[in-house]
């Protein structure tokens, strides 16, 4: 079983939940920008939640199946079609041999995740199938998909039609928006900023710059004032860290973020809201921030994971 790539789209890569344990060697975690959508799509087709799938950015690929398969598409609505028919998101769909999977106009979000029963069967690199584009490794030959590729798929262990039609609960789907309010935990270096700077960060609307990518989302808006020097001794960076360099414009670290950095971090985006940010479109979307407590962030994350567990148990 394989997916034949007839057109690679704008940027389509193989991603799972990332490679852990190698940051001390300077290797980023990488993985899906929207890990919630990746997990949901995998659960719908009977895979483990962290199995590798295709991450599709804005303009989708055109694929042909070499054998009948079961797919699910979650995340951004890029108007998916199978064999010419419009198909719903967040649902398992049976696809016959030779049928075409394609995408149309963007209706919402930025990144869709196409999971196929059996998972994308590419080699593990440092324990992960994720593509790290800057390093040129992982995924399918360390690069984005292009015309002529044959993407291998693992063999499912169940009768495919048995899961066809399985849906993710509609009330548990994230409210993707082109202007989300994203929750953060202040710190760890919020003491490097003036009170006015923190207030500006939490009360202003920032545009997602066209220069944003999988490494970081550069934001454009009112300047955030530092108390003193704009640099610190380099320390660890995590997913969602909000750095503010000398130009006083925030940068949110995303999936391919570097492992250390020398700019003070005013806040960290909570895990439950990373999907909302990941679905923002560079050059078009805006974002605002709200500070919450660690306890509130943990409760939000537990609620998000509960939705996945409920669907997996069905």
């Amino acid at each position: 079983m394989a997916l034949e790539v007839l057109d690679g789209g704008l940027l389509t890569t193989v991603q799972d939940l990332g490679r852990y344990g190698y940051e001390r060697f300077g290797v980023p975690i990488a993985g899906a920008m929207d890990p919630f959508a990746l997990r949901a799509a995998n659960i719908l087709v009977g895979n483990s939640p962290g199995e590798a799938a295709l991450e599709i950015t804005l303009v989708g690929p055109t694929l042909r199946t070499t054998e009948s398969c079961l797919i699910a598409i979650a995340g951004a609505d890029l108007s998916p079609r199978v064999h010419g028919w419009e198909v719903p998101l967040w649902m398992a769909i049976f696809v016959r041999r030779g049928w075409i999977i394609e995408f149309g106009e963007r209706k919402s979000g930025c990144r869709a995740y196409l999971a196929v029963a059996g998972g994308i069967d590419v080699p593990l690199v440092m324990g992960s199938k994720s593509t790290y584009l800057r390093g040129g490794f992982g995924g399918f030959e360390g690069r984005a998909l292009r015309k002529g590729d044959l993407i291998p798929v693992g063999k499912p262990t169940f009768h495919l039609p048995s899961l066809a039609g399985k849906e993710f609960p509609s009330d548990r789907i994230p409210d993707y928006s082109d202007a989300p309010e994203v929750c953060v935990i202040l710190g760890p270096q919020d003491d490097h900023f003036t009170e006015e700077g923190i207030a500006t960060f939490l009360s202003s609307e920032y545009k997602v710059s066209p220069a944003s990518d999988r490494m970081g989302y550069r934001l454009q808006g009112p300047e955030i004032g530092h108390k003193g020097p704009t640099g610190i001794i380099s320390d660890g960076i995590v997913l969602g860290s909000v750095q503010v360099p000398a130009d006083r414009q925030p940068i949110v670290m995303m999936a391919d973020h570097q492992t250390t950095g020398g700019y003070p971090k005013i806040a960290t985006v909570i895990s439950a809201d990373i999907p909302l940010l990941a679905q923002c479109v560079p050059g078009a979307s805006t974002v605002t921030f709200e500070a919450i407590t660690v306890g509130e962030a943990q409760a939000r994350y537990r609620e998000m994971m509960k939705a996945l567990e409920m669907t997996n148990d069905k």
Side-chain angles (χ1 to χ4, degrees):
M1 167 63 193
L3 297 175
E4 180 185 359
V5 181
L6 305 181
D7 186 312
L10 177 64
L11 178 65
T12 305
T13 59
V14 176
Q15 300 291 345
D16 57 19
L17 293 178
R19 51 183 55 82
Y20 289 83
Y22 298 91
E23 288 181 284
R24 65 187 183 276
F25 304 117
V27 179
I29 292 172
M33 287 279 279
D34 182 347
F36 181 86
L38 174 94
R39 287 183 170 109
N42 273 314
I43 287 170
L44 289 171
V45 297
N47 294 339
S48 65
E51 183 54 78
L54 299 185
E55 180 179 270
I56 298 162
T57 307
L58 288 175
V59 179
T62 301
L63 310 168
R64 179 162 52 208
T65 60
T66 63
E67 298 291 341
S68 295
C69 62
L70 186 73
I71 68 167
I73 302 168
D77 186 348
L78 304 180
S79 302
R81 296 187 299 273
V82 173
H83 200 53
W85 300 308
E86 293 184 7
V87 294
L89 300 172
W90 307 89
M91 177 186 287
I93 299 163
F94 183 71
V95 181
R96 294 191 182 279
R97 177 181 180 178
W99 281 8
I100 303 295
I101 303 167
E102 56 190 341
F103 297 81
E105 66 173 327
R106 182 190 84 92
K107 294 181 179 178
S108 67
C110 182
R111 295 173 173 87
Y113 293 83
L114 189 157
V116 56
I120 305 298
D121 190 18
V122 294
L124 292 170
V125 177
M126 288 176 274
S128 171
K129 299 177 181 179
S130 280
T131 309
Y132 178 47
L133 291 171
R134 290 174 182 264
F137 60 82
F140 188 83
E141 300 180 359
R143 59 171 173 80
L145 304 189
R146 59 192 183 211
K147 181 179 179 179
D149 291 340
L150 282 174
I151 311 304
V153 174
K155 185 174 178 60
T157 58
F158 59 90
H159 184 51
L160 294 178
S162 66
L163 285 185
K166 183 176 182 178
E167 296 181 80
F168 196 83
S170 59
D171 60 343
R172 298 286 183 155
I173 296 172
D175 185 18
Y176 297 134
S177 164
D178 283 335
E181 182 179 70
V182 173
C183 291
V184 298
I185 304 295
L186 288 176
Q189 285 109 24
D190 53 315
D191 58 327
H192 282 237
F193 301 90
T194 64
E195 290 184 9
E196 292 81 5
I198 294 173
T200 296
F201 172 68
L202 294 175
S203 63
S204 301
E205 182 178 80
Y206 288 89
K207 184 176 181 179
V208 180
S209 164
S212 301
D213 57 18
R214 281 182 47 88
M215 184 175 179
Y217 268 21
R218 294 180 176 271
L219 306 181
Q220 300 171 327
E223 293 184 349
I224 298 169
H226 298 80
K227 280 183 179 177
T230 58
I232 61 172
I233 297 173
S234 290
D235 66 358
I237 297 241
V238 299
L239 177 65
S241 290
V242 185
Q243 291 185 314
V244 184
D247 66 0
R248 300 185 176 188
Q249 298 292 291
I251 306 172
V252 185
M253 299 294 100
M254 302 302 285
D256 286 354
H257 67 82
Q258 70 272 33
T259 57
T260 63
Y263 299 121
K265 296 171 283 295
I266 193 171
T268 305
V269 175
I270 68 170
S271 297
D273 280 358
I274 288 293
L276 302 184
L277 195 57
Q279 294 294 349
C280 287
V281 179
S285 298
T286 60
V287 59
T288 55
F289 297 98
E290 177 188 359
I292 64 173
T293 67
V294 172
E296 290 171 326
Q298 291 172 336
R300 288 274 310 279
Y301 184 75
R302 285 193 294 268
E303 191 66 19
M304 182 177 75
M305 298 307 292
K306 182 179 178 181
L308 295 167
E309 292 167 3
M310 290 170 55
T311 305
N312 200 23
D313 291 341
K314 287 184 179 180

